[in-house]
Amino acid sequence: GGTQIRPGRVKLDIAPLVDNGNTVPLAVSVDSPMTASDHVVAIAVFNERNPQREVIKCTLGSRAGRASISTRIRLATSQKLVAVARMSDGTCWSDTVDVIVSIAACLENPI
């Protein structure tokens, strides 16, 4: 939406070297007090080389208690991942990680 995304406050936790891209643990945490006046509104993770660029989008509120999510994803090949957090004051923060994948996933097979 035209908001400047600044580096910081977000921690994208994923192994820098992944043996198998079919199931890759991923966690995102954001430095936030999670109060009614200062909290994370949304967290999103994007990739650059999977068939679908959006990995996950989560909506949070001040009652979440802490700003962290975790899941498992598939990675088509070695690539860059970006996590973005939108705060209640409208600012956006990010973290970027390069991941090397030994065995790729998400590849389209001919029928």
Side-chain angles (χ1 to χ4, degrees):
T3 302
Q4 178 184 354
I5 300 174
R6 299 181 251 181
R9 294 188 71 174
V10 177
K11 172 71 172 131
L12 176 56
D13 188 18
I14 187 169
L17 176 62
V18 175
D19 289 332
N20 186 337
N22 284 305
T23 178
V24 182
L26 165 85
V28 180
S29 59
V30 183
D31 181 21
S32 171
M34 295 303 283
T35 62
S37 62
D38 184 6
H39 61 274
V40 177
V41 175
I43 297 173
V45 178
F46 304 95
N47 66 71
E48 65 179 351
R49 294 196 175 161
N50 279 11
Q52 295 180 340
R53 304 256 181 208
E54 297 174 356
V55 176
I56 188 170
K57 289 183 186 177
C58 298
T59 303
L60 302 172
S62 61
R63 293 181 9 184
R66 62 182 172 165
S68 65
I69 60 169
S70 63
T71 190
R72 292 185 180 273
I73 64 171
R74 295 179 73 173
L75 292 175
T77 187
S78 299
Q79 59 188 293
K80 188 174 298 211
L81 296 174
V82 178
V84 179
R86 185 166 37 100
M87 309 301 285
S88 57
D89 66 0
T91 60
C92 291
W93 300 86
S94 71
D95 189 20
T96 303
V97 175
D98 288 308
V99 180
I100 298 170
V101 178
S102 298
I103 300 173
C106 302
L107 299 178
E108 295 182 24
N109 295 325
I111 298 176

